[in-house]
Amino acid sequence: DTLPPGTYAESDSLTNNSSFEIRWFIEDWYQNDEVMGNDTKYFIIEYKEDNGTNGETWGEWNIWQNFSSEHSSAIFTEGLDGYRYRFRSIGGDDEGLVENKENKYDTQTIVDLSAPYADIEIRDIGNITNLDYIEFQWTVTHPNITGYETQYRLNTQNWTTIEENTLAKWTGFNVPIDGEYEFRVITSDEAGNKGISEISRKILVDTIAPNTNIQEIQKLTDAEEIEINVDNLDDTVKLTLYYSYVRENQEVMPIAWAKYEGVGENGPGEYVVSELPISVPLNNQFHYYFRIVAYDLAGNCKGYSGNMTCNDGFNESYQDIIVDRDAPQKIRNLEIKDTKPVNGTT
């Protein structure tokens, strides 16, 4: 018998466990040789590692264990994250012949214990929005990514999947209802690791305009000025006051509205709620009209919401008042015609 054994080792090419199985076999050509083969007595399993250099530098061969022919696999328990391991089987027979592998290896395993994590960024909106569509994107530096699962939760409730098994690094989300939304990405890699990203910043979605109107004012006054205030402040944070005025008995429709000239915190006609009520001086013998556009933090305003502009978006109601400070000028041709009671007066 002059023929040394022919053997080989096998292992998974990628694992997410520091312990993994090594298997070894006899080559068919040796196993089937009835004369000089089929007499393998033991298997010496050797390994070497790259010390985490991504395969650039390899160490020397080390003997892991010597197994009898009764064994065909064992668990290697020395795997380190980011390391590559090469294994080979060297067989020996009962004649003392030993297989020569020179510097060849049979199999290689990469140990990847690190979960991949995505870094999320919400696109183009602040923490409060009146949009019903949100896009977010993410970046990942981990190699060998096999897919992403995107999720959202509403008002800190359970997580719901938006999209799964995607390789795109962004997604669009159609908001079903108003509320506070958070997002996250679950990233999977080729080794089977899964990493859950940090939760995104919270986005408050509010698509409903504030239901705020001017308080009712009396229809006739002799005052020098009036105060404009609002009913049902709701979530209003600012408002624009519009007005119109014409001489009494010269009214025309439609009303020609303009921003009130009074200067609020944000400019002419623009007020925050802390500036209420608004004092407006009045001219005698004029008919005044007032209406407002109320805004919330998300940018919604009465009459418009969502993506629509609030410019010229008046609410449905307005208030008007006539100013009359003049006493009656003359009473002429007063004559008693009848002394019967009239409305209780004789």
Side-chain angles (χ1 to χ4, degrees):
D1 183 0
T2 59
L3 184 63
T7 65
Y8 64 95
E10 283 186 353
S11 63
D12 294 339
S13 61
L14 186 63
T15 182
N16 63 353
N17 199 315
S18 60
S19 299
F20 52 93
E21 184 182 46
I22 308 299
R23 304 169 295 276
W24 49 88
F25 305 89
I26 300 173
E27 297 279 6
D28 287 342
W29 58 264
Y30 187 81
Q31 180 81 27
N32 297 330
D33 192 323
E34 298 292 338
V35 178
M36 290 186 289
N38 198 25
D39 60 351
T40 303
K41 185 177 181 180
Y42 60 86
F43 299 83
I44 298 173
I45 307 301
E46 295 183 335
Y47 75 95
K48 63 179 177 178
E49 59 191 36
D50 74 340
N51 295 304
T53 63
N54 199 30
E56 295 293 330
T57 304
W58 291 90
E60 299 296 325
W61 286 106
N62 301 291
I63 295 177
W64 176 36
Q65 288 189 51
N66 188 332
F67 297 94
S68 70
S69 59
E70 297 175 355
H71 298 88
S72 60
S73 67
I75 301 298
F76 182 80
T77 61
E78 301 174 26
L80 297 175
D81 185 29
Y83 277 50
R84 297 170 186 244
Y85 295 87
R86 288 177 175 174
F87 297 89
R88 66 182 183 183
S89 169
I90 298 176
D93 66 14
D94 52 11
E95 299 294 333
L97 298 173
V98 179
E99 183 178 11
N100 181 11
K101 283 288 178 73
E102 298 177 347
N103 198 36
K104 297 177 182 178
Y105 67 95
D106 297 331
T107 185
Q108 177 175 288
T109 295
I110 300 173
V111 178
D112 181 1
L113 308 180
S114 300
Y117 296 100
D119 185 14
I120 302 177
E121 179 184 358
I122 307 293
R123 288 181 176 175
D124 301 330
I125 59 173
N127 294 334
I128 302 176
T129 183
N130 59 7
L131 301 176
D132 58 5
Y133 177 76
I134 299 173
E135 287 185 357
F136 60 98
Q137 62 193 31
W138 56 92
T139 56
V140 178
T141 57
H142 195 90
N144 305 315
I145 301 302
T146 57
Y148 304 98
E149 178 181 355
T150 55
Q151 296 182 331
Y152 78 92
R153 69 177 176 184
L154 171 63
N155 299 331
T156 67
Q157 297 175 3
N158 294 331
W159 289 98
T160 301
T161 297
I162 304 171
E163 189 176 12
E164 57 185 343
N165 299 323
T166 178
L167 287 173
K169 292 185 178 180
W170 73 276
T171 194
F173 175 65
N174 293 301
V175 177
I177 59 174
D178 285 6
E180 190 174 63
Y181 286 86
E182 296 170 288
F183 303 93
R184 71 181 185 182
V185 176
I186 301 175
T187 307
S188 302
D189 68 13
E190 193 175 342
N193 299 301
K194 289 182 180 292
I196 302 176
S197 70
E198 291 188 3
I199 299 172
S200 72
R201 58 187 170 92
K202 294 180 179 180
I203 304 296
L204 177 61
V205 178
D206 177 7
T207 61
I208 300 174
N211 187 26
T212 302
N213 295 310
I214 294 180
Q215 283 183 358
E216 185 176 355
I217 57 179
Q218 63 186 29
K219 298 301 181 182
L220 189 65
T221 185
D222 62 355
E224 296 287 338
E225 67 177 24
I226 61 168
E227 289 188 340
I228 303 297
N229 214 332
V230 299
D231 280 324
N232 188 26
L233 195 59
D234 200 17
D235 60 347
T236 297
V237 295
K238 64 179 182 178
L239 59 88
T240 304
L241 177 62
Y242 291 85
Y243 83 133
S244 180
Y245 64 99
V246 293
R247 284 205 171 271
E248 186 181 0
N249 299 320
Q250 295 181 13
E251 293 87 346
V252 294
M253 291 293 173
I255 300 171
W257 296 101
K259 271 188 183 182
Y260 178 58
E261 294 95 339
V263 179
E265 182 175 304
N266 297 318
E270 307 286 343
Y271 298 89
V272 296
V273 295
S274 61
E275 295 178 287
L276 295 172
I278 304 166
S279 295
V280 178
L282 302 174
N283 292 321
N284 189 30
Q285 298 299 325
F286 276 82
H287 192 164
Y288 286 83
Y289 302 84
F290 300 95
R291 69 194 321 171
I292 61 170
V293 177
Y295 301 82
D296 62 19
L297 277 175
N300 301 302
C301 65
K302 183 68 174 180
Y304 294 90
S305 62
N307 296 323
M308 302 181 68
T309 178
C310 288
N311 294 333
D312 303 323
F314 297 122
N315 62 353
E316 293 86 346
S317 65
Y318 66 85
Q319 296 290 321
D320 66 309
I321 186 171
I322 296 173
V323 183
D324 183 2
R325 303 192 192 102
D326 297 338
Q329 297 297 313
K330 295 179 180 179
I331 300 177
R332 295 183 298 176
N333 302 323
L334 179 64
E335 181 180 355
I336 302 298
K337 290 291 187 180
D338 198 336
T339 58
K340 293 179 181 180
V342 178
N343 294 331
T345 301
T346 300

